[in-house]
């Protein structure tokens, strides 16, 4: 409060301290903001440049929505007014930019835009710098409106570039003319394709050539700042060249320049050169040129002392890889992996796996590479990688024998990684017969080898090995007895883990009950996997975030394609024996074996697909969820669902057409939930009208713990249904599936409107078209209490208008539904009849479907 | 844009922090700590850029830093800024501080936080570079100082006292003044039971 008083002081010191306090300490939601806004308004109007500067700074540092509302109209005027001081103009430009960032919808586009573009011609370079920042951001959103800025920027740039270092006096930084402005202008040009006008284009090319030429000149100063500034411009010019990607000549020069930097003394330059070269490698003109630097890059990988530079080198190697140099690059990366920094190992593993697969000519090489990968960095090999190798081996007949032999040899190492055991178990289970002819790898030897690792492995791996054993029973009848003994042993049949126990029991029964024919059908070789996009790639994409993986691949590969990423991670090789619903097939096997009798569930698809299908089938809505749903129509927070295991709580907030919902999943038991996956399901209709965004949650929920998920909501247009939240998880070995309706309803996007009686009835009459009105007469379900009803109408989102209706017993409300496309005004009237315990609800809106839906929702409430 | 500007000393004590994106107090403290950990374990002659800092923006975040004697100057920026440009901006910032304080040292930043903020405000506004011309900045600051002096009656006395004390260089001046202990709060999950 004291600070606000200081603001209105006329003494500079006091005002300044006041502003400083506010910029540093006040957060944007403070109640004081109104008072502050007032003081700022006075200062903006004061025409004292210092005060205006202070005020603008304050707006820029607080930058809240309220401020944007108050000043978004004002600042453009200050910015383009003829008599504004240069320094104030600068501040105004950046201030406007700040407001545009927080609330783009509030900054009006108008005739000031063209005048802003002309600021690029301003005398004062500081103003030009600020204006360029502003235009760059605005141009990204509205490229058309700022198209004229291109030619202006080019001419400005050429004036700077060709000027002697003394011309620009103050803006020369260590003999480089206006480096920051040049960088900004080059950035602005990167928002647009190459200019079409040949004159402008010629001039731009000339500029870029001059910049490249300057790089060759001897430095004018030995100071590091000089070279820094010069190179900042140079790198920006190079990225513009890459962005345009049209002048092969310039591209090659850029590439050569970067090549020089690769061996530069300065670590910074090496880092940036590697980074730019990554983008350069994806251009078809320069791909070959980039490849000439392969030796240097590999050398950098080996000798560089800085992790972040090495990481860039790996990126570049990945980008420049093609069929001709793949073996070399993969070999180098593998050898580097042994010494690589822990933080980047997983990424390298993914990259190696992708390159090996993508450019594999000879699949034996591929198998070798991946096995090596597992051997060197087993901990960093994710599931996707070894799933993929198995898929490929199964799909290619020619490598199956080789693969079986190689894994067998690899397994003989005294200590081998668990992932290798998994791959080994799987492949031997499928193709062990191909190498069984050799006495050194006879069935029994194979089995003993695998079983020697059994005790060292985790539960999922053991489960997989059990499946392998039952496959052995089919492949090699001679080891059947041995395997049955193993299955029968107490450590299997009475295993504490439900999954293992179940498998052991089922497989044992299967091997004793079923005839050879049935066994052969059930335990048939896996059918080929359908060729799909590699899931590893998706993983790398996800890890790096969109846009950073260099563009050798199409950007569009869906996450959903991971072939084996279903909810059941162990790729169980025996068929129905491990479906998620244990009771069904246990019973089935106990009687006659019906599961084997059925056709193997693999007509073209793969087993895991079948599992994921059956598992992800959405459970019917949980009982009682309708009631809960109705309660949430008029409120935003509370418990949505609860059973013995799980509690789901909600907190949500809505503003105009946007909303955010926090979903809290509470584990009420003392046991972990595994594979916990909540999914939001929208019908096709709903999907086009309502946008929901969320991040996946951690798949394990500890006992008694709570996890939180945030859903961002945008209402695109009015909608009828509500999205469904489906939750699947494993609780102590049983599979749980719960569905509830998520209370995101149309009325959440209500904004209340206050209006006087006269206005109300005028609007009411305007909406007299019969389609616009929906009326419902219904019996009261709850006691008819005036206060509760009022609260409900307010909770519904509309304003409650008092003294509007001539009959004081009636309730009248008004509001606007906000959606991205339209805004719909709504009026409502609720007439209670106490004697009959009935209500009559009338809704009038400008859209029929909206009236209908709101009436439905609200009728449920009374 | 620039997301944050942090200055801390070799021990990770924050000396100045300015955020151009909204973060809660707790997150700000965490960001400072995280940044310090990332930056401080790097050797002297490695490069001045690094990616990271999960709290601010994840992969689109770069830390650009310089190490001067006892202080680290760290700028957190997104990919729309030129790395070398920012590196030079740090240089300009430090040179300006040097001009304004005559041989700037860590204590100047402690005793004249307001001035440092003012200088920074002349250079960076709302996350964008406002002015890069050192002379211009110094002129603005001088103008401010003049205004201040002309208005300063009694108000000037404490400042003079402070500078006098500083110049005496007494041994009991605490080396590390603890500006606001960092308190870690365990985030409470809202309970709805």
């Amino acid at each position: 409060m004291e600070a606000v008083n200081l603001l209105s002081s006329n003494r500079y010191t006091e005002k300044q301290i006041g502003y400083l306090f506010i910029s540093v300490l006040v957060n944007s939601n403070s109640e004081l903001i109104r008072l502050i806004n007032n003081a700022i308004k006075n200062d903006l109007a004061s025409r004292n440049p210092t005060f205006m500067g202070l005020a603008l700074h304050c707006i820029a540092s607080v930058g809240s929505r309220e401020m944007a509302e108050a000043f978004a109209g004002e600042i453009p005027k200050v910015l383009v007014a003829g008599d504004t001081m240069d320094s104030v103009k600068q501040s105004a430009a950046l201030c406007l930019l700040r407001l545009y960032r927080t609330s783009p919808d509030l900054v009006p586009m108008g005739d000031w835009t063209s005048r802003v573009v002309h600021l690029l011609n301003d005398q004062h370079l500081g103003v030009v710098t600020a204006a360029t920042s502003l235009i760059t951001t605005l141009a990204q959103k509205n490229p058309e409106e700022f198209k004229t800025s291109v030619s202006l920027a080019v001419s400005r740039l050429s004036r700077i570039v060709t000027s002697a270092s003394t011309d620009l006096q103050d803006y020369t930084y260590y003999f480089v003319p206006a480096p920051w402005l040049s960088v900004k202008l080059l950035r602005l040009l990167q928002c647009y394709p190459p200019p079409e006008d040949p004159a402008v284009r010629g001039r731009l090319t000339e500029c870029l050539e001059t910049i490249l030429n300057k790089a060759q000149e001897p430095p004018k100063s030995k100071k590091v700042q000089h070279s820094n500034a010069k190179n900042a411009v140079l790198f920006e010019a190079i990225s513009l060249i890459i962005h345009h990607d049209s002048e092969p000549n310039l591209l090659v020069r850029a590439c050569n320049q970067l090549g020089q930097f690769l061996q530069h003394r300065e670590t910074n330059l090496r880092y940036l050169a590697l980074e730019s070269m990554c983008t350069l490698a994806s251009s078809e003109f320069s791909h070959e040129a980039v490849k000439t630097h392969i030796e240097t890059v590999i050398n950098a990988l080996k000798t560089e002392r800085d992790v972040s530079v090495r990481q860039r080198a790996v990126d570049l190697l990945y980008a420049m890889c093609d069929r001709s140099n793949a073996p070399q690059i993969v070999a180098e990366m593998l050898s580097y992996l042994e010494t690589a920094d822990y933080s980047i190992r997983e990424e390298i593993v993914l990259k190696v796996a992708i390159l090996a697969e993508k450019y594999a000519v000879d699949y034996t090489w591929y198998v070798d590479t991946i096995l090596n990968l597992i051997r060197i960095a087993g901990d960093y090999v994710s599931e996707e990688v070894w799933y993929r190798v198995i898929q490929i081996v199964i799909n290619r007949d020619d490598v199956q024998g080789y693969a079986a032999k190689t894994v067998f040899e690899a397994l003989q190492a005294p200590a081998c990684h668990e992932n290798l055991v998994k791959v080994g178990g799987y492949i031997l289970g499928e193709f062990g017969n191909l190498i069984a002819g050799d006495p050194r790898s006879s069935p029994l030897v194979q089995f003993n080898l695998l079983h020697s690792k059994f005790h060292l492995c985790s539960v999922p791996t053991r489960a997989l090995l059990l499946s392998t054993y039952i496959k052995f029973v089919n492949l090699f009848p001679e080891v059947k007895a041995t395997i049955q003994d193993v299955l029968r042993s107490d450590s299997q049949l009475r295993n504490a883990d439900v999954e293992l126990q179940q498998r052991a029991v089922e497989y044992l029964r299967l091997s004793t009950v079923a005839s050879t024919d049935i066994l052969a059908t059930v335990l048939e070789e896996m059918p080929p996997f359908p060729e799909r996009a590699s899931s590893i790639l998706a993983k790398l994409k996800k890890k790096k975030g969109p846009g950073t993986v260099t563009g050798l691949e199409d950007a569009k590969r869906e996450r959903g394609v991971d072939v084996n990423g279903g909810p059941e991670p162990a790729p169980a090789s025996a068929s129905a024996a491990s479906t998620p619903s244990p009771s069904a097939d246990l019973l089935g096997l106990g009687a006659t074996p019906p599961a084997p009798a059925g056709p193997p569930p693999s007509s073209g698809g793969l087993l895991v697909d079948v599992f994921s299908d059956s598992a992800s089938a959405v459970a019917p809505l949980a009982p009682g969820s309708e009631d809960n749903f109705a309660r949430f129509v008029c409120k935003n927070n509370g418990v949505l669902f609860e059973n013995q295991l799980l509690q789901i709580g909600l907190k949500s907030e809505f503003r105009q057409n946007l909303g955010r919902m926090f979903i809290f999943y509470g584990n009420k038991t003392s046991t972990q939930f595994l594979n916990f996956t909540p999914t939001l399901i929208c019908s096709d209709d709903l999907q086009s009208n309502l946008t929901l965004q969320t991040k996946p949650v951690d798949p394990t929920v500890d006992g008694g713990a709570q996890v939180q998920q945030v859903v961002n909501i945008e209402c695109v247009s009015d909608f009828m249904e509500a999205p469904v939240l489906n939750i699947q998880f494993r609780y102590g070995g049983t599979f749980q599936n719960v569905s509830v309706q998520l209370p995101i309803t149309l009325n959440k996007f209500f904004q209340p409107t206050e209006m006087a009686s006269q206005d109300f009835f005028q609007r009411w009459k305007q909406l007299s078209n019969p389609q616009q009105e929906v009326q419902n007469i219904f019996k009261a379900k709850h006691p008819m209490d005036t206060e509760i009803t009022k609260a409900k109408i307010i909770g519904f989102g509309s304003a409650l208008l008092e003294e509007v209706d001539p009959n004081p017993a009636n309730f009248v409300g008004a509001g606007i539904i906000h959606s991205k496309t339209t805004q719909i005004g709504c009026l409502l009237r609720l007439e209670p009849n106490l004697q009959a315990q009935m209500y009559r609800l009338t809704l009038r809106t400008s859209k029929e479907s909206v009236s209908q839906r709101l009436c439905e929702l609200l009728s449920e409430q009374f | 844009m620039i997301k944050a500007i942090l200055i801390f000393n070799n021990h990770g004590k924050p000396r100045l922090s300015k955020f151009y994106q909204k973060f809660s107090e707790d997150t700000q403290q965490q960001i400072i700590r995280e940044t310090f950990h990332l930056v401080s374990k790097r050797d002297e002659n490695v490069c001045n850029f690094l990616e990271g800092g999960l709290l601010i923006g994840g992969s689109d975040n770069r830390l650009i830093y310089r190490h001067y004697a006892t202080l680290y100057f760290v700028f957190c920026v997104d990919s729309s800024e030129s790395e070398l440009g920012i590196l030079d901006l740090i240089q300009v910032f430090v040179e300006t501080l040097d001009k304004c304080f005559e041989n700037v040292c860590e204590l100047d930043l402690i005793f004249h936080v307001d001035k440092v903020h003012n200088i920074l405000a002349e250079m960076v506004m709302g996350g964008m570079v406002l002015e890069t011309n050192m002379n211009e900045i110094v002129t603005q600051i001088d103008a401010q100082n003049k205004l201040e002096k002309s208005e300063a009656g009694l108000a000037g006395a404490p400042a003079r006292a402070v500078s006098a004390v500083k110049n005496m260089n007494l041994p009991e001046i605490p080396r590390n003044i603890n500006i606001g202990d960092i308190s870690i709060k365990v985030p409470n999950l809202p309970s709805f039971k």
Side-chain angles (χ1 to χ4, degrees):
Chain A
M1 199 58 225
E2 276 308 312
V4 179
N5 285 338
L6 282 175
L7 287 192
S8 38
S9 150
N10 271 328
R11 290 165 67 116
Y12 169 76
T13 6
E14 291 173 6
K15 204 186 255 308
Q16 190 230 20
I17 287 291
Y19 271 121
L20 184 63
F21 174 81
I22 286 162
S23 324
V24 176
L25 294 176
V26 173
N27 72 27
S28 53
N29 303 322
S30 168
E31 295 158 12
L32 290 174
I33 224 98
R34 260 186 213 168
L35 293 167
I36 296 172
N37 277 356
N38 231 343
I40 292 177
K41 212 162 237 168
N42 290 336
D43 278 337
L44 273 187
S46 72
R47 310 226 139 259
N48 175 336
T50 328
F51 290 178
M52 285 170 95
L54 284 176
L56 288 170
H57 267 296
C58 181
I59 302 176
S61 26
V62 179
S64 66
R65 207 176 159 80
E66 285 79 10
M67 284 207 166
E69 275 163 13
F71 301 109
E74 203 95 346
I75 295 170
K77 284 185 212 147
V78 177
L79 178 58
V80 295
D83 55 347
T84 316
M85 290 261 301
D86 285 337
S87 62
V88 176
K89 263 191 204 166
Q90 260 169 291
S91 309
L94 292 184
C95 191
L96 190 59
L97 175 59
R98 170 66 207 243
L99 294 185
Y100 183 80
R101 282 231 175 90
T102 31
S103 22
D105 49 317
L106 290 178
V107 178
M109 292 293 144
D111 51 348
W112 59 271
T113 48
S114 62
R115 298 176 65 183
V116 168
V117 172
H118 282 281
L119 284 181
L120 287 181
N121 271 335
D122 202 284
Q123 288 291 315
H124 192 271
L125 285 188
V127 176
V128 185
T129 314
T132 316
S133 303
L134 174 64
I135 294 171
T136 308
T137 310
L138 292 176
Q140 277 161 1
K141 293 277 159 55
N142 327 292
E144 276 309 309
E145 277 192 65
F146 292 92
K147 227 171 177 171
T148 44
S149 60
V150 173
S151 60
L152 285 175
V154 170
S155 62
R156 187 88 219 189
L157 184 65
S158 87
R159 260 181 285 159
I160 296 173
V161 171
T162 50
S163 68
S165 59
T166 46
D167 286 357
L168 300 162
Q169 288 172 4
D170 286 350
Y171 282 87
T172 302
Y173 173 81
Y174 287 95
F175 306 103
V176 182
W180 284 281
L181 180 53
S182 317
V183 166
K184 290 267 179 220
L185 288 170
L186 288 163
R187 282 269 163 166
L188 172 60
L189 291 174
Q190 282 176 47
C191 299
Y192 289 97
E196 279 148 23
D197 181 1
V200 179
R201 195 180 174 138
R203 208 158 170 201
L204 180 60
T205 315
E206 211 172 280
C207 283
L208 295 173
E209 269 169 0
T210 323
I211 296 174
L212 286 175
N213 285 340
K214 275 193 183 168
Q216 301 297 338
E217 288 170 14
K220 290 186 183 123
S221 150
K222 284 217 177 79
K223 281 263 174 73
V224 65
Q225 282 84 3
H226 169 69
S227 70
N228 263 355
K230 202 166 84 174
N231 292 328
V233 179
L234 182 61
F235 272 112
E236 227 32 75
I238 289 175
S239 55
L240 180 63
I241 294 171
I242 298 171
H243 172 77
H244 283 173
D245 197 11
S246 57
E247 304 268 348
N249 183 18
L250 283 177
L251 278 169
V252 170
R253 280 193 65 183
C255 186
N256 291 340
Q257 184 62 52
L258 291 178
Q260 282 181 21
F261 282 145
L262 284 183
Q263 284 151 319
H264 201 278
R265 270 184 310 117
E266 277 279 310
T267 323
N268 289 338
L269 291 182
R270 290 200 300 270
Y271 177 91
L272 290 173
L274 287 168
E275 198 183 4
S276 307
M277 221 174 225
C278 264
T279 41
L280 201 56
S282 53
S283 157
E284 53 173 325
F285 295 118
S286 51
H287 191 77
E288 285 304 313
V290 172
K291 269 165 57 188
T292 54
H293 299 292
I294 185 165
E295 290 302 330
T296 328
V297 181
I298 289 175
N299 200 26
L301 192 63
K302 285 179 183 155
T303 56
E304 194 62 62
R305 291 198 311 167
D306 187 347
V307 190
S308 35
V309 179
R310 287 200 299 265
Q311 160 116 45
R312 290 280 150 262
V314 173
D315 285 350
L316 179 54
L317 281 179
Y318 177 71
M320 66 163 64
C321 189
D322 65 11
R323 207 168 281 276
S324 66
N325 55 16
Q328 185 193 4
I329 287 181
V330 168
E332 289 295 345
M333 278 167 121
L334 270 179
S335 70
Y336 169 59
L337 194 57
E338 289 182 53
T339 52
D341 205 78
Y342 295 110
S343 54
I344 56 174
R345 277 196 184 180
E346 188 181 356
E347 206 183 311
I348 299 181
V349 167
L350 284 175
K351 285 186 167 152
V352 169
I354 292 170
L355 290 180
E357 183 190 333
K358 196 165 169 187
Y359 300 114
V361 191
D362 173 5
Y363 277 88
T364 55
W365 172 73
Y366 171 74
V367 172
D368 279 345
T369 309
I370 299 291
L371 289 181
N372 253 333
L373 200 61
I374 296 176
R375 183 177 55 79
I376 295 170
D379 286 339
Y380 300 91
V381 175
S382 59
E383 286 174 346
E384 284 88 348
V385 174
W386 69 263
Y387 288 164
R388 191 68 193 159
V389 67
I390 287 172
Q391 279 177 36
I392 287 184
V393 169
I394 287 178
N395 288 0
R396 310 226 154 229
D397 300 343
D398 45 333
V399 288
Q400 286 165 357
Y402 177 78
K405 189 161 151 268
T406 328
V407 260
F408 179 74
E409 279 161 9
L411 278 174
Q412 279 169 333
C416 55
H417 194 268
E418 195 168 331
N419 277 334
L420 187 65
V421 179
K422 286 183 188 165
V423 177
Y426 199 105
I427 289 184
L428 290 182
E430 295 292 332
F431 310 112
N433 54 338
L434 298 178
I435 54 167
D438 191 327
R440 278 167 302 168
S441 53
S442 70
L444 198 59
V445 176
Q446 284 183 34
F447 172 74
N448 284 338
L449 181 61
L450 281 178
H451 200 60
S452 66
K453 315 278 182 202
F454 187 88
H455 305 283
L456 307 169
C457 296
S458 66
V459 171
T461 314
R462 289 190 196 188
L464 190 146
L465 284 179
L466 285 179
S467 298
T468 306
Y469 296 167
I470 190 76
K471 288 231 156 190
F472 275 168
V473 171
N474 174 39
L475 291 178
F476 320 116
E478 63 266 37
V479 293
K480 185 171 173 180
T482 327
I483 289 174
Q484 280 178 339
D485 280 346
V486 170
L487 290 176
R488 206 175 286 129
S489 69
D490 271 359
S491 60
Q492 308 302 345
L493 278 188
R494 308 222 168 136
N495 196 299
D497 188 85
V498 186
E499 176 75 31
L500 286 184
Q501 194 184 30
Q502 186 193 336
R503 283 195 189 209
V505 172
E506 286 173 6
Y507 292 161
L508 186 60
R509 289 294 294 164
L510 189 63
S511 64
T512 43
V513 171
S515 70
T516 349
D517 283 352
I518 293 172
L519 266 184
T521 328
V522 177
L523 304 172
E524 198 181 36
E525 214 171 86
M526 292 289 277
F529 288 88
E531 280 296 338
R532 298 195 213 172
S534 163
S535 52
I536 313 173
L537 209 53
K539 170 138 185 182
L540 183 66
K541 286 248 154 74
K542 199 172 141 206
K543 194 169 150 63
K544 293 284 279 178
T548 45
V549 177
T550 44
L552 284 174
E553 294 84 28
D554 303 332
K556 286 181 188 166
R557 292 204 198 239
E558 293 157 52
R559 176 83 186 100
V561 295
D562 37 347
V563 179
N564 274 311
E568 180 75 278
S573 44
S575 71
S578 60
T579 13
S581 55
S583 57
D585 71 329
L586 265 180
L587 287 177
L589 279 175
T592 51
S602 50
S603 43
L606 65 158
L607 287 170
V608 186
D609 259 359
V610 178
F611 289 160
S612 57
D613 285 351
S614 71
S616 62
V618 178
L621 288 179
S625 77
E626 276 299 320
D627 281 357
N628 271 339
F629 179 75
R631 280 199 293 119
F632 273 95
V633 171
C634 289
K635 62 176 194 167
N636 284 333
N637 306 331
V639 177
L640 176 67
F641 171 85
E642 185 158 11
N643 63 11
Q644 295 95 322
L645 307 176
L646 177 74
Q647 185 189 45
I648 305 174
L650 291 185
K651 272 193 166 199
S652 43
E653 54 198 24
F654 295 87
R655 177 176 204 133
Q656 302 205 334
N657 67 327
L658 301 176
R660 183 185 302 166
M661 183 174 270
F662 295 86
I663 309 180
F664 300 92
Y665 304 99
N667 181 347
K668 290 171 67 181
T669 66
S670 52
T671 323
Q672 262 193 347
F673 292 166
L674 297 171
N675 295 342
F676 187 83
T677 33
T679 347
L680 291 170
I681 302 162
C682 292
S683 63
D684 293 345
D685 252 2
L686 191 56
Q687 228 157 33
S688 54
N689 295 332
L690 188 71
T691 323
L692 299 177
Q693 282 179 327
T694 184
K695 289 199 183 105
V697 297
D698 194 20
T700 51
V701 184
D702 287 332
Q706 197 181 63
V707 292
Q708 176 188 350
Q709 187 178 32
V710 187
V711 185
N712 286 319
I713 307 156
E714 184 182 31
C715 173
V716 180
S717 142
D718 61 287
F719 57 95
M720 304 296 279
E721 308 149 74
V724 172
L725 174 68
N726 177 250
I727 300 141
Q728 305 182 348
F729 58 92
R730 278 186 161 278
Y731 166 68
T734 52
F735 182 76
Q736 305 283 336
N737 192 343
V738 174
S739 289
V740 283
Q741 269 194 314
L742 211 52
I744 300 172
T745 48
L746 188 53
N747 65 300
K748 299 291 182 195
F749 304 99
F750 240 130
Q751 217 53 357
T753 335
E754 294 289 344
M755 53 177 83
S757 167
Q758 205 183 351
D759 287 348
F760 182 83
F761 281 106
Q762 195 190 347
R763 281 169 210 219
W764 185 263
K765 285 196 193 97
Q766 278 167 3
L767 296 170
S768 57
N769 196 326
Q771 283 114 42
Q772 294 171 332
E773 183 185 283
V774 174
Q775 198 169 65
N776 189 12
I777 302 173
F778 54 94
K779 210 158 177 69
K781 281 178 246 153
H782 305 283
M784 295 172 84
D785 183 296
T786 320
E787 288 310 311
I788 294 178
T789 312
K790 278 185 182 170
K792 279 187 177 165
I793 290 179
I794 292 171
F796 192 64
S798 63
L800 182 70
L801 304 177
E802 307 270 1
E803 294 171 17
V804 168
D805 202 294
N807 179 354
N810 291 351
F811 305 94
V812 168
I816 297 171
I817 300 263
H818 286 264
S819 70
K820 194 178 169 194
T821 47
T822 49
Q823 302 194 339
I824 301 157
C826 306
L827 303 174
L828 69 91
R829 187 181 197 190
L830 181 73
E831 298 155 274
N833 182 337
L834 282 172
Q835 278 93 42
Q837 290 285 304
M838 301 276 274
Y839 284 105
R840 180 166 72 184
L841 175 66
T842 318
L843 265 147
R844 286 191 178 182
T845 75
S846 46
K847 201 165 173 186
E848 190 187 351
S849 56
V850 176
S851 305
Q852 192 70 46
R853 178 62 178 159
L854 289 179
C855 187
E856 264 168 40
L857 286 170
L858 195 56
S859 304
E860 291 296 311
Q861 298 300 314
F862 301 106
Chain B
M1 74 178 272
I2 301 171
K3 295 174 181 170
I5 296 173
L6 310 172
I7 304 178
F8 39 73
N9 69 6
N10 289 347
H11 307 287
K13 285 265 183 307
R15 291 299 179 222
L16 175 110
S17 67
K18 176 91 188 154
F19 287 84
Y20 295 99
Q21 245 181 12
K22 286 274 167 288
F23 292 106
S24 71
E25 199 86 357
D26 285 350
T27 335
Q28 293 192 0
Q29 299 292 0
Q30 280 172 17
I31 289 173
I32 294 175
R33 243 171 303 150
E34 187 190 22
T35 316
F36 173 69
H37 277 291
L38 284 173
V39 169
S40 62
K41 65 175 183 212
R42 291 170 65 87
D43 294 339
E44 270 308 308
N45 45 19
V46 297
C47 77
N48 299 81
F49 324 118
L50 70 158
E51 276 182 18
L54 295 174
L55 293 166
I56 324 184
S59 64
D60 192 31
N61 185 44
R62 266 146 211 261
L63 304 176
I64 297 168
Y65 73 96
R66 249 173 205 271
H67 189 193
Y68 293 93
T70 59
L71 290 175
Y72 283 99
F73 287 71
V74 187
F75 279 45
C76 309
V77 303
D78 66 9
S79 56
S80 69
E81 296 286 342
S82 149
E83 286 93 346
L84 286 172
I86 294 291
L87 201 58
D88 284 350
L89 192 70
I90 301 181
Q91 177 69 21
V92 171
F93 181 39
V94 174
E95 282 184 32
T96 316
L97 287 177
D98 204 46
K99 280 193 182 169
C100 294
F101 289 117
E102 287 157 14
N103 271 332
V104 66
C105 69
E106 198 176 333
L107 286 174
D108 288 317
L109 300 192
I110 300 171
F111 288 115
H112 299 285
V113 186
D114 54 335
K115 268 198 182 167
V116 180
H117 268 286
N118 286 341
I119 295 171
L120 194 58
E122 291 296 329
M123 293 182 59
V124 181
M125 179 169 168
M128 298 302 284
V129 181
L130 176 67
E131 181 60 76
T132 52
N133 178 353
M134 217 179 304
N135 295 335
E136 187 93 349
I137 301 170
V138 175
T139 335
Q140 291 280 355
I141 298 288
D142 283 347
Q144 284 177 20
N145 287 341
K146 253 182 217 153
L147 268 176
E148 226 164 86
K149 270 198 189 126
S150 68
E151 287 172 5
L154 280 172
R160 278 201 294 278
V162 167
S163 64
V165 169
K166 201 177 95 188
N167 291 338
M168 273 153 70
N169 209 2
L170 291 172
E172 61 262 30
I173 292 180
R175 276 256 149 137
N176 288 317
I177 293 175
N178 205 346
I179 299 186
D181 258 13
I182 304 166
S183 63
I184 314 161
K185 280 183 201 148
V186 180
N188 295 322
L189 278 175
S191 80
F192 50 86
K193 283 183 184 172

